Amino acid sequence: MGKVAVGAAVVCAAAVCAAAALVVRHRMISSRKWARGLAIVKEFEEKCGTPIGKLRQLADAMDVEMHAGLASEGGSKLSMLISYVDNLPTG
């Protein structure tokens, strides 16, 4: 009976080790994929990121063009229509 118990314990230990190895392997592969994905996103962010100053300059230019378009017909490259909405929706 002692040899059977030792054998069962060895088989169980081997199964646990194999399962642990599979879990560790899966986590390593997942972490590599995650790291690769993060690297791609970071590269995209660096190449496509627009500085705040440039965004403010663009917003200011759009504001000027919109006001010019509302001030007179053909006063801007942007076609603007005056809207007489005097309050915002509440729901």
Side-chain angles (χ1 to χ4, degrees):
M1 187 69 145
K3 289 183 179 182
V4 172
V6 170
V10 168
V11 169
C12 287
V16 168
C17 287
L22 288 174
V23 168
V24 167
R25 180 176 180 268
H26 176 67
R27 286 188 178 173
M28 287 178 65
I29 290 171
S30 295
S31 69
R32 274 189 243 133
K33 287 180 183 176
W34 183 255
R36 184 170 172 238
L38 284 177
I40 290 169
V41 169
K42 186 161 183 83
E43 179 185 358
F44 182 75
E45 180 183 17
E46 289 170 358
K47 289 184 177 179
C48 298
T50 306
I52 298 294
K54 186 75 166 177
L55 291 173
R56 288 180 199 245
Q57 182 183 7
L58 177 67
D60 291 340
M62 284 181 67
D63 186 49
V64 167
E65 288 291 322
M66 285 190 285
H67 284 290
L70 288 171
S72 66
E73 186 80 28
S76 172
K77 296 175 189 173
L78 295 175
S79 299
M80 301 292 291
L81 297 174
I82 296 176
S83 172
Y84 296 101
V85 176
D86 59 354
N87 60 7
L88 296 174
T90 60

Short mmCIF file of all heavy atoms in Angstrom, two decimals, residues 87-91:
data_model
loop_
_atom_site.label_atom_id
_atom_site.label_comp_id
_atom_site.label_asym_id
_atom_site.label_seq_id
_atom_site.Cartn_x
_atom_site.Cartn_y
_atom_site.Cartn_z
N ASN A 87 -32.24 77.84 -26.99
CA ASN A 87 -31.96 77.07 -25.79
C ASN A 87 -31.56 75.65 -26.17
O ASN A 87 -31.85 75.19 -27.26
CB ASN A 87 -33.12 77.09 -24.80
CG ASN A 87 -34.38 76.51 -25.41
OD1 ASN A 87 -34.36 75.98 -26.52
ND2 ASN A 87 -35.49 76.63 -24.71
N LEU A 88 -30.89 75.00 -25.28
CA LEU A 88 -30.40 73.64 -25.54
C LEU A 88 -31.40 72.62 -25.05
O LEU A 88 -32.15 72.87 -24.10
CB LEU A 88 -29.05 73.44 -24.83
CG LEU A 88 -27.90 74.32 -25.34
CD1 LEU A 88 -26.68 74.12 -24.46
CD2 LEU A 88 -27.57 74.01 -26.79
N PRO A 89 -31.42 71.44 -25.65
CA PRO A 89 -32.32 70.38 -25.18
C PRO A 89 -31.97 69.98 -23.75
O PRO A 89 -30.82 70.01 -23.35
CB PRO A 89 -32.06 69.22 -26.13
CG PRO A 89 -31.09 69.66 -27.13
CD PRO A 89 -30.63 71.03 -26.80
N THR A 90 -32.97 69.61 -22.99
CA THR A 90 -32.76 69.25 -21.60
C THR A 90 -32.82 67.74 -21.36
O THR A 90 -32.46 67.28 -20.28
CB THR A 90 -33.81 69.92 -20.69
OG1 THR A 90 -35.09 69.48 -21.11
CG2 THR A 90 -33.71 71.43 -20.75
N GLY A 91 -33.30 66.99 -22.29
CA GLY A 91 -33.46 65.57 -22.04
C GLY A 91 -32.76 64.78 -23.04
O GLY A 91 -32.44 63.69 -23.10
#
